[in-house]
């Protein structure tokens, strides 16, 4: 759901009525350019977050959208120093690396801000423009009244934080188990972790089309510091000639779930190498399979199986953690129209309908360990 900058500014003003003109300027600058910080190494970023946490209040606070796909993510004592803070540090670093803005974009935001009935705002903005719009601090009144402790990060990253925490925990557990094996001498003589009972954790990311499953798996790869492999359900479509006569009436009737079990889930559970060819439904040859993907379980701490039908009841027992992504139907429709273009009416009539039947028949969302609503993630 897109967040209009002026709406965001009004929301901030309503929440922080003591905002002064420079606080509005800071909001516009952050919305356009993201974090106004010098690039720092991960250790310094985390150290700053730890110090700030000590000064912050105890209660959790929701992220505050500021437009342009960014938000202010509040640092409070409710955040764990072991899980959330390191993740937020990596989110902040990732946001700094990807944030892009323009002088014209900032100028447009300032033009819109000037329409707000804030005493002294037009004059301040005009003076600030003449100075070249340098980064500014919050006003003294704002800092005294609200004691701000936050980081500007991408809105989708902040929204996914509750989903990233359990995956990060699994990666750390795997690393701890590997360390125990290594320090005990169990890996001496060329023995592999899998021969000592250590296998990757299996995580399934199911959910509605357009809810951000593929994007989330990419974020996991960026923010979770471990070796992993992502298997996409798109690679396990069942060729049309192998589908049953009434396949549309069977949940996941278009998927080769047996191949997924045989080539991914069973090998991971038994510590065997993975070898599977991805199905290419849009390949140059009809029903073509791509070059085989190979993965040694000793080379990964996590295996993510991403896509609708990944948590079918016939597969759910294999997973160590199951996640369901969803969004409101109106927002889902907006995303699907943008993604599918002229194909949207067919996609809606066939594939979204079949997907909803699967969720209803199999109770997918209720069976997941965590549900994440991504409606407001992509502002």
């Amino acid at each position: 759901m897109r967040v209009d900058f002026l709406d965001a500014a009004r929301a901030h003003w309503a929440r922080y009525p003591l905002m002064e003109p420079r606080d509005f300027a800071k909001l516009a600058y952050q919305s356009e350019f993201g974090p106004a910080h010098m690039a720092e190494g991960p250790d310094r970023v985390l150290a700053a977050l730890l110090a700030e946490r000590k000064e912050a209040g105890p209660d959790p606070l929701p992220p505050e959208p500021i437009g342009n796909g960014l938000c202010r993510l509040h640092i409070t004592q409710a955040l764990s120093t072991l899980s959330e803070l390191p993740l937020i540090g990596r989110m902040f670093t990732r946001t700094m690396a990807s944030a892009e803005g323009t002088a014209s974009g900032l100028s447009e935001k300032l033009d819109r801000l000037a329409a707000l009935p804030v005493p002294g705002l037009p004059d301040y903005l005009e003076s600030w423009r003449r100075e070249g719009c340098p980064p500014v601090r919050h006003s003294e009144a704002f800092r005294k009244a609200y004691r701000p402790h936050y980081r500007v990060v991408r809105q989708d990253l902040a929204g996914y934080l509750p989903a990233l925490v359990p995956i990060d925990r699994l990666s750390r557990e795997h690393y701890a188990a590997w360390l125990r094996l290594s320090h005990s001498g169990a890996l001496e003589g060329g023995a592999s972790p899998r021969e000592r009972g250590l296998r990757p954790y299996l995580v399934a990311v199911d959910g509605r089309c357009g809810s951000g499953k593929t994007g989330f798996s990419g974020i996991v790869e960026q923010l979770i510091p471990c070796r992993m492999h992502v298997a996409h359900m798109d690679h396990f479509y069942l060729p049309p000639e192998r589908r049953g006569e009434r396949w549309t009436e069977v949940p996941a009737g278009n998927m080769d779930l047996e191949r997924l079990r045989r080539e991914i889930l069973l090998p991971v559970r038994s510590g065997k190498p993975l070898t599977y060819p991805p199905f290419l439904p849009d390949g140059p040859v009809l029903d073509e399979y791509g070059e085989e993907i190979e993965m040694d379980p000793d080379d990964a701490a996590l295996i993510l199986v991403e896509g609708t039908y990944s948590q079918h009841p016939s597969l759910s027992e294999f997973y160590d953690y199951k996640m369901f992504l969803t969004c409101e139907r109106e927002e889902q429709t907006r995303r699907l129209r943008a993604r599918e273009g002229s194909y949207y009416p067919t996609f809606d009539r066939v594939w979204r309908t079949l997907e909803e039947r699967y969720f209803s028949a199999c109770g997918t969302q209720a069976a997941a360990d965590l549900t994440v609503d991504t409606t407001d993630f992509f502002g």
Side-chain angles (χ1 to χ4, degrees):
M1 181 181 296
R2 301 298 300 178
V3 176
D4 178 75
F5 169 69
L6 195 57
D7 288 341
R10 290 192 180 104
H12 277 258
W13 192 18
R15 183 167 185 176
Y16 308 108
L18 295 181
M19 284 179 71
E20 295 186 355
R22 68 185 300 113
D23 300 304
F24 286 93
K26 184 177 183 69
L27 185 69
Y29 189 97
Q30 289 177 333
S31 175
E32 183 63 24
F33 296 111
H37 292 70
M38 297 296 290
E40 298 176 330
D43 291 342
R44 292 186 62 184
V45 169
L46 181 57
L49 289 172
L50 289 168
E52 194 157 358
R53 180 183 180 275
K54 293 180 181 179
E55 301 175 0
D59 299 326
L61 295 171
E64 294 179 334
I66 61 175
N68 199 26
L70 299 168
C71 70
R72 288 174 174 174
L73 179 58
H74 293 279
I75 309 302
T76 77
Q77 293 178 22
L79 296 170
S80 166
T81 60
L82 185 62
S83 54
E84 282 104 335
L85 281 193
L87 280 167
I88 291 170
R90 294 194 286 272
M91 291 176 183
F92 178 67
T93 301
R94 176 65 58 176
T95 302
M96 283 196 298
S98 61
E100 297 180 354
T102 64
S104 61
L106 177 60
S107 181
E108 180 182 344
K109 288 180 170 65
L110 299 184
D111 288 341
R112 301 186 69 193
L113 276 181
L116 294 178
V118 178
L121 182 58
D123 291 341
Y124 178 88
L125 296 181
E126 182 60 33
S127 174
W128 192 51
R129 286 182 197 262
R130 289 197 297 267
E131 295 174 6
C133 298
V136 294
R137 298 186 66 197
H138 277 297
S139 67
E140 186 67 19
F142 189 97
R143 286 188 280 116
K144 284 184 176 180
Y146 308 118
R147 299 178 60 218
H149 297 284
Y150 63 80
R151 289 294 183 275
V152 174
V153 300
R154 278 171 34 192
Q155 194 171 333
D156 58 336
L157 301 186
Y160 281 128
L161 181 59
L164 291 165
V165 167
I167 297 178
D168 181 66
R169 174 179 54 79
L170 291 176
S171 73
R172 287 186 282 108
E173 288 180 1
H174 188 279
Y175 181 62
W178 181 87
L179 283 178
R180 287 193 295 270
L181 287 176
S182 180
H183 292 164
S184 70
L187 301 181
E188 294 179 357
S192 68
R194 70 172 180 271
E195 291 172 337
R196 296 294 183 261
L198 181 60
R199 63 164 180 82
Y201 284 106
L202 277 163
V203 177
V205 182
D206 206 323
R208 290 183 163 83
C209 53
S211 62
K213 299 182 296 296
T214 303
F216 174 69
S217 66
I219 287 171
V220 171
E221 291 183 291
Q222 294 171 7
L223 296 182
I224 304 300
C226 74
R227 298 166 300 166
M228 69 181 66
H229 176 74
V230 179
H232 301 282
M233 289 301 294
D234 287 356
H235 292 164
F236 291 89
Y237 279 126
L238 196 61
E241 67 272 12
R242 292 181 51 203
R243 299 174 191 173
E245 183 177 352
R246 305 177 69 176
W247 66 271
T248 59
E249 300 176 15
V250 179
N254 60 317
M255 307 302 296
D256 197 341
L257 300 184
E258 178 54 38
R259 187 167 77 87
L260 175 64
R261 182 192 353 253
R262 183 178 66 251
E263 298 180 356
I264 298 275
L265 304 179
L266 283 173
V268 171
R269 281 290 187 178
S270 61
K272 297 179 180 178
L274 306 183
T275 302
Y276 66 97
F279 181 65
L280 304 177
D282 298 321
V285 178
L286 187 63
D287 302 338
E288 182 182 28
Y289 287 85
E291 184 177 348
E292 285 194 340
I293 297 172
E294 299 181 354
M295 202 280 296
D296 190 316
D298 284 340
D299 293 333
L302 292 171
I303 306 291
L304 264 67
V305 182
E306 171 274 318
T308 307
Y309 307 112
S310 61
Q311 293 171 33
H312 188 276
S314 65
L315 308 175
S316 61
E317 65 177 309
F318 289 95
Y319 299 114
D320 299 291
Y321 199 84
K322 301 188 293 294
M323 193 174 299
F324 187 90
L325 303 189
T326 187
C327 62
E328 294 176 3
R329 187 157 181 101
E330 181 179 356
E331 173 64 8
Q332 182 191 32
T333 297
R334 186 192 68 79
R335 295 176 188 176
L336 292 177
R337 286 185 184 278
R339 189 184 78 183
E340 301 297 333
S342 61
Y343 183 66
Y344 168 76
T346 301
F347 186 95
D348 179 48
R349 185 180 69 256
V350 178
W351 301 112
R352 182 154 65 164
T353 299
L354 291 177
E355 182 181 86
E356 291 298 328
R357 288 178 187 170
Y358 154 67
F359 297 143
S360 177
C362 298
T364 314
Q365 182 171 350
D369 297 295
L370 176 69
T371 294
V372 179
D373 188 332
T374 69
T375 300
D376 298 325
F377 282 17
F378 308 106

